[in-house]
């Protein structure tokens, strides 16, 4: 049974693109189709936070970055820390990899893409064949309902709507392998890890489930299926049993109105839609409802030329153009700037991601407690590795909630990583602050720190809770307690509240 609030949420998610004529076929992402591109763009290819630039950003170059074509080596600062610090836990949220469009452009041929997996097709990966055969044994794993009926591999010679492509699988095999190497020396997971130590969760879409499995396989090759439970998150917000939050929906509605206003005031965009619709011989509103950017991005990412229709009467006929694509992308970037200024999305995001952040914080505390000096470790260990396989409509609000407003919109196979670190018991040459009352016995224990990484880049000191931390004075890392007080209280300050309950129900917007 889906609650009223959930229905409402899906309603808003599907309308936030302001395409009220389309039914909510799937959860519709915030910006465009679960695949919308936005994201601050800079001239720099690599950096998550664009280097300030004086020229206008190039909307098409930014789109290639969004594709995340797995054809070059990538930076990964995960696992970097100070000597003698111990890595206690890693929690990762990923966006699924490259997928087939969710929408099709009326009157045009769908892009021809093969969603079966084959190591003779590019892009491939050395682990691809063993991954395919390992997925064949998935029946030995434990699957929370309804995941056991979701296919574990993409396998249609003509991709279905929204299906993960081979590119998407390879992106996550690479991600997993990258982090396998990054954490190898930190003994995060013992060779004989226990079922409790590895937590994997996903939404019920095949592309997220398959992305999560590809990541996990890269991270723990030939993992033991019998120890694995794959958990289901029914909401794209990963909010579990705490999804009800009326105020969140109100902010989303306001945000939707803002987005609508800025879009209709953009005459160049409106003219472009009219031109495109004329080319295709459809009504402008039909074209807008078909969310053409989603399919055009897929063409771009797969090197397929934009669709054409034969010339007919009444002026229809011709091809959609890169110039039209660039206008839609340009408007998305303008919208991002306006969105940051309006702050409605940020308020939405704070409430949307609180349940996930609260859970993340709680896990860290549990692992930290298990690692206290002189304490008997819990039999079977704690959750030291968590993988949440999600959508752009999950990762985008998470970035916003953390205060990473300037970060690029989540590309295919984006990853956000939380690392929990513990310093050695006595830090040499650094007089420790006096411990609080009653904490004498712990005074000699190491201290806890957090690192946050987005697509391999350390963004810890861009987050709201560590932006002002003076890392040059004594503590080069961000103290865990900053994060804890942010999640438990401070994050609600932007909505004039001190708790989730109060923020959601407290007072009218
Ligand atoms: C990787 O693919 C992208 C998109 O197709 C292309 O623009 C880029 O030049 C390629 N890079 C390399 C190193 O081949
Ligand atoms: C893919 O589907 C084909 C035909 O339905 C089947 O023969 C094949 O075993 C499937 N492959 C995988 C890896 O599931
Ligand atoms: C937040 O986490 C605490 C445990 O640390 C839990 O008791 C509480 O129910 C959580 N709140 C929400 C709204 O998820
Ligand atoms: C927050 O509370 C203050 C003082 O009570 C008030 O002036 C302000 O308008 C409130 N802001 C919001 C966003 O409700």
């Amino acid at each position: 049974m889906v609650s009223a609030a959930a229905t409402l949420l899906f309603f808003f998610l599907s309308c936030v693109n302001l395409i009220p004529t389309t039914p909510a076929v799937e959860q519709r992402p915030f910006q465009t189709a679960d695949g919308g591109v936005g994201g601050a763009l800079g001239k720099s290819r690599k950096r998550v936070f664009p280097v300030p630039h004086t020229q206008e950003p190039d909307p098409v170059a930014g789109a290639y970055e969004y594709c995340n074509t797995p054809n070059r080596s990538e930076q990964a600062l995960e696992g970097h820390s100070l000597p003698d610090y111990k890595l206690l836990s890693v929690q990762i949220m990923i966006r699924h990899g490259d997928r087939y469009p969710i929408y099709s452009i009326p009157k045009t041929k769908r892009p021809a893409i093969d969603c079966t997996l084959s190591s003779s097709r590019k892009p491939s990966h050395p682990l691809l064949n063993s991954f395919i055969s390992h997925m064949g044994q998935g029946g030995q794993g434990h699957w929370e309902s309804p995941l056991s009926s979701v296919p574990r591999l993409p396998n249609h010679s003509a991709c279905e709507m929204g299906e993960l492509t081979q590119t998407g699988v390879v992106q996550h095999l690479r991600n997993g392998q990258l982090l396998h190497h990054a954490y190898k020396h930190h003994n995060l997971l013992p060779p004989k890890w226990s079922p409790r130590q590895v937590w994997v969760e996903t939404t019920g879409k095949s592309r997220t489930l398959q992305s999560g499995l590809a990541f996990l396989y890269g991270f723990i090759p030939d993992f033991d299926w019998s120890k694995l439970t794959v958990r289901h998150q029914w909401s794209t917000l990963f909010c579990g049993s705490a999804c009800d939050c009326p105020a969140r929906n109100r902010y989303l509605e306001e945000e939707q109105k803002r987005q609508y206003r800025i879009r209709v005031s953009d005459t160049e965009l409106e003219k472009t839609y009219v031109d495109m619709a004329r080319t295709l011989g459809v009504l402008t509103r039909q074209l807008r409802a078909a969310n053409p950017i989603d399919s055009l991005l897929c063409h771009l990412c797969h090197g397929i030329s934009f669709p054409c229709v034969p010339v007919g009467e009444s002026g229809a006929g011709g091809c959609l153009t890169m110039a039209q694509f660039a206008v839609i992308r340009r408007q998305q970037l303008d919208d991002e700037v306006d969105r940051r200024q309006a702050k409605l999305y940020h308020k939405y995001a704070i409430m949307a991601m609180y349940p996930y952040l609260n859970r993340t914080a709680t896990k860290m505390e549990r692992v930290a407690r298990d690692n206290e000096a002189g304490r008997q470790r819990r039999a079977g260990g704690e959750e030291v590795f968590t993988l949440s396989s999600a959508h752009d409509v999950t990762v985008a609000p998470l970035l916003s909630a953390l205060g990473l407003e300037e970060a690029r919109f989540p590309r295919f196979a984006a990853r956000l990583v939380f690392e929990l670190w513990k310093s050695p018991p006595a830090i040499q040459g650094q007089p420790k602050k006096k411990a609080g009352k009653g904490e004498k016995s712990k005074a000699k224990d190491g201290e806890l720190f957090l690192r946050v990484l987005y697509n391999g880049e350390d963004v810890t000191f861009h987050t709201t809770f560590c932006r002002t931390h003076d890392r040059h004075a004594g503590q080069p890392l961000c103290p865990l307690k900053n994060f804890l007080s942010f999640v438990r209280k401070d994050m609600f300050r932007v909505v004039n509240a001190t708790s989730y309950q109060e923020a959601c129900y407290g007072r009218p917007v």
Side-chain angles (χ1 to χ4, degrees), residues 107-109 279-280 299 305-310 317-320:
K107 304 240 174 134
T108 63
K109 271 208 322 272
T279 299
L280 300 175
H299 285 79
S305 53
F306 284 171
C308 305
V309 293
C319 302
L320 300 183

Side-chain angles (χ1 to χ4, degrees), residues 66-305:
Y66 171 84
C67 298
N68 193 12
T69 307
N71 60 359
R72 61 204 144 94
S73 61
E74 221 198 305
Q75 62 168 358
L77 294 180
E78 285 95 343
H80 287 214
S81 183
L82 300 173
D84 303 326
Y85 278 53
K86 186 171 173 354
L87 180 63
L88 300 189
S89 82
V90 172
Q91 301 186 56
I92 304 177
M93 179 172 281
I94 55 174
R95 184 190 174 202
H96 61 75
D98 179 76
R99 59 142 172 81
Y100 199 70
I102 291 174
Y103 304 89
S104 51
I105 301 178
K107 304 240 174 134
T108 63
K109 271 208 322 272
R110 300 205 302 151
I113 298 174
D114 187 340
C115 274
T116 60
L117 302 180
S118 164
S119 56
S120 61
R121 192 160 3 93
K122 280 187 178 174
S124 188
H125 191 278
L127 289 177
L128 185 64
N129 283 330
S130 58
F131 170 68
I132 294 169
S133 71
H134 200 65
M135 290 306 110
Q137 295 149 42
Q140 297 165 34
H142 308 276
W143 304 86
E144 246 177 41
S145 164
L147 299 180
S148 60
S149 57
V150 177
R152 283 157 212 149
L153 291 172
N155 190 21
H156 292 92
S157 52
C159 297
E160 305 210 308
M161 300 305 258
E163 188 168 8
L164 193 67
T165 65
Q166 174 157 318
T167 302
V169 170
V170 169
Q171 285 165 337
H172 277 303
L173 286 171
R174 287 172 60 120
N175 268 340
Q177 195 172 49
L178 208 59
L179 296 199
H180 170 84
H181 290 297
Y183 296 134
K184 205 165 43 186
H185 307 295
H186 295 291
N187 304 315
L188 181 67
L189 279 175
K192 291 192 181 302
W193 50 275
S194 76
R196 188 179 162 82
Q197 287 175 309
V198 174
W199 178 283
V200 177
E201 61 185 11
T202 175
T203 63
K205 292 280 182 283
S206 62
R207 60 180 172 279
T208 44
L209 180 124
Q210 293 160 2
S211 291
L213 292 173
F215 187 110
L216 187 66
Y217 192 79
F219 190 67
I220 316 175
D222 287 313
F223 61 81
D224 181 347
W225 275 113
S226 67
K227 290 194 281 192
L228 182 70
T229 298
V230 184
R231 293 164 210 271
H232 179 234
Q233 286 283 346
W234 67 271
S235 165
T236 55
L237 298 180
F238 285 58
C239 45
S241 59
C243 293
D244 280 351
C245 182
R248 180 191 66 216
N249 297 337
R250 286 199 296 272
Y251 280 118
L252 193 51
E253 201 177 1
E254 289 298 311
E255 164 64 14
Q256 169 196 340
K257 290 180 189 153
R258 181 205 60 75
Q259 203 176 27
Y260 178 78
R261 280 193 301 270
I262 186 167
R263 203 202 67 200
V264 296
S265 69
D266 195 316
T267 50
E268 191 191 24
L269 178 72
E270 293 299 298
K271 181 181 165 304
T272 299
Y273 273 128
V274 170
D275 289 347
M276 291 168 78
R278 190 187 308 122
T279 299
L280 300 175
V282 299
L283 296 175
T284 307
R285 93 180 127 73
Q286 249 177 309
L287 177 71
R288 210 180 265 127
N291 207 1
I293 191 76
D294 182 48
S295 178
L296 292 180
L297 274 168
C298 174
H299 285 79
L300 190 84
C301 293
H302 287 265
I304 301 170
S305 53

